[in-house]
Amino acid sequence: MRDGLLLAGVRDLLEIIGLLVRLLIHVGLALWTYRDIKLRERSMLWILGVLFVPEAFFPLYFWNRAPELIWTCRDCHRNNRATSRQCRYCNRSYTIEETISKLHGYFEPSDAIVIILAALLVHNFALFAAIGFSAGAEKLLEPQDIASYISTLPPSHFWIIEMIVRNALIWLCLHCVTVRYRRPLAAVGLRFSGDFRIIGLPFLLAPVLVLISEAGMQVIVGVNGIISSSAVESLIKMEEERQATGMPEHLRDASVVLMGFVLLVLTPVGEEILFRGIMYSAFSDRFGNQKGLLLSSLLFALLHGSVIRFIPTFVMGLAYAALSVRTKSIFPAIITHSFVNLISVVIWYN
């Protein structure tokens, strides 16, 4: 009885913290929009929309304005503003015709946030559709039960939702690169460097990353055994319950095929294009490679939503980003990410 009350208390505390975090995110996105509106002299009504429904209005605002153009220097390969004909890094000068021929859009941090929020909107629509289909439309009128109902979704419905969301994520990323900025897929690392020696790296790196993750979890469990914190124990139990959401009871379940396709193909492809392609490029262009690695990996860990595994997930993000930078391709990171997910699933069922 006491453990049940403590677990409920931890859930309530995390829910309050979640509400505060969401409030901060809403206000932060509204301020971000306000700053851009001041520069471009657009309607202030956008701020109200972003403040209350950021999943819809933030993407609409930022993808309804033309991207700023740059050109890349042929000598130092650094980006410059469209208004300049001289590279600000190596001082190489170009003619007007040469500058115009090199013009293209460049990724902004807002692009990654737009994609994440749009994918979240797709997730909510797909979730409501699944709840309405499985339990009836009247269930949607009980918002307090929607969160708890997610854990009762049949595995097949859960992974169909995930498949829809991951496909939407990949489509949004590719649309951003090829349509919005008219850049080749190689701009986000979707290319093979030609060095076949890197093929073995994912199979060496993935077990190490899984070992770090599991070791981190065991350290937390061991420390909790020493300090005997009921709150930490409840948090660990909640993390395990969340991780079990949607997992088929046995490997003979037909939904395992859907789960495998999502975890081993769609998730690695979508997340690596977003975090190691678009997001890393956006941050590194503005703050340098090191801060680009740190910021993209930090958001990667935050958006996975795990408190207990935050540090191991952050380390994984750093490893994927460093691997992409080192090989000049995100394919090794995609393979590593997929292999990590495969090993994690095998550990889960064993």
Side-chain angles (χ1 to χ4, degrees):
M1 181 67 178
R2 179 175 174 273
D3 291 341
L5 291 174
L6 182 62
L7 184 60
V10 172
R11 289 183 189 275
D12 292 339
L13 179 60
L14 289 177
E15 186 174 347
I16 293 172
I17 293 174
L19 288 173
L20 291 175
V21 170
R22 283 196 292 272
L23 178 61
L24 289 174
I25 291 173
H26 283 218
V27 173
L29 293 177
L31 291 174
W32 190 343
T33 307
Y34 172 76
R35 180 176 176 273
D36 195 81
I37 284 174
K38 292 287 286 184
L39 292 174
R40 301 173 187 272
E41 298 181 354
R42 301 183 71 183
S43 173
M44 289 291 178
L45 292 176
W46 283 103
I47 299 175
L48 292 176
V50 172
L51 185 61
F52 292 104
V53 193
E55 297 90 345
F57 284 92
F58 191 86
L60 283 174
Y61 174 80
F62 277 95
W63 273 18
N64 268 326
R65 63 172 175 81
E68 189 173 352
L69 297 178
I70 59 171
W71 56 272
T72 304
C73 178
R74 187 169 53 203
D75 288 350
C76 66
H77 305 291
R78 302 294 293 274
N79 294 327
N80 297 271
R81 301 288 183 181
T83 54
S84 172
R85 290 194 293 112
Q86 184 179 42
C87 178
R88 58 176 175 167
Y89 300 101
C90 68
N91 296 322
R92 167 78 183 261
S93 295
Y94 294 87
T95 65
I96 295 177
E97 291 76 13
E98 287 175 327
T99 304
I100 292 175
S101 66
K102 294 174 178 294
L103 286 178
H104 59 80
Y106 68 98
F107 303 122
E108 302 179 22
S110 59
D111 295 318
I113 305 302
V114 163
I115 291 171
I116 292 169
L117 292 176
L120 179 61
L121 190 63
V122 172
H123 175 269
N124 291 338
F125 275 120
L127 177 61
F128 290 154
I131 292 175
F133 179 78
S134 300
E138 65 277 1
K139 196 71 175 180
L140 299 176
L141 301 177
E142 306 171 7
Q144 69 275 10
D145 293 333
I146 290 178
S148 61
Y149 186 77
I150 295 175
S151 60
T152 64
L153 277 175
S156 58
H157 293 185
F158 178 86
W159 291 110
I160 286 174
I161 292 173
E162 291 296 313
M163 183 172 65
I164 292 171
V165 174
R166 303 301 173 178
N167 273 302
L169 179 65
I170 294 172
W171 182 86
L172 288 166
C173 289
L174 297 181
H175 175 86
C176 177
V177 176
T178 60
V179 178
R180 178 167 171 78
Y181 292 108
R182 299 181 181 181
R183 299 185 66 175
L185 294 178
V188 289
L190 281 171
R191 61 186 173 190
F192 179 57
S193 64
D195 187 358
F196 288 92
R197 291 176 297 179
I198 66 174
I199 295 178
L201 285 176
F203 302 99
L204 295 174
L205 183 60
V208 174
L209 294 177
V210 174
L211 183 62
I212 291 174
S213 177
E214 294 302 318
M217 189 68 181
Q218 293 304 316
V219 167
I220 292 173
V221 173
V223 170
N224 184 57
I226 296 174
I227 64 177
S228 299
S229 171
S230 301
V232 175
E233 185 177 350
S234 299
L235 185 59
I236 293 173
K237 188 178 297 184
M238 287 177 57
E239 293 271 342
E240 291 176 347
E241 290 177 0
R242 190 178 70 86
Q243 189 178 6
T245 303
M247 297 296 286
E249 293 185 5
H250 50 76
L251 292 174
R252 293 187 300 274
D253 196 319
S255 58
V256 168
V257 177
L258 283 174
M259 180 186 72
F261 182 60
V262 171
L263 292 181
L264 305 184
V265 180
L266 297 182
T267 297
V269 171
E271 291 187 357
E272 294 310 312
I273 295 175
L274 174 62
F275 290 101
R276 259 58 68 177
I278 296 173
M279 190 176 290
Y280 169 75
S281 298
F283 284 129
S284 61
D285 282 345
R286 283 156 183 76
F287 309 117
N289 291 338
Q290 292 184 348
K291 290 183 179 179
L293 285 171
L294 291 173
L295 289 172
S296 61
S297 302
L298 179 63
L299 285 175
F300 176 73
L302 286 172
L303 290 172
H304 275 73
S306 175
V307 177
I308 299 296
R309 296 184 183 271
F310 176 81
I311 294 178
T313 306
F314 176 69
V315 172
M316 284 185 184
L318 284 176
Y320 297 151
L323 184 61
S324 300
V325 173
R326 177 69 179 83
T327 61
K328 298 180 180 180
S329 169
I330 64 170
F331 283 121
I334 290 174
I335 298 172
T336 305
H337 196 154
S338 179
F339 198 29
V340 165
N341 288 352
L342 176 61
I343 296 174
S344 299
V345 169
V346 170
I347 291 175
W348 170 265
Y349 281 103
N350 286 332

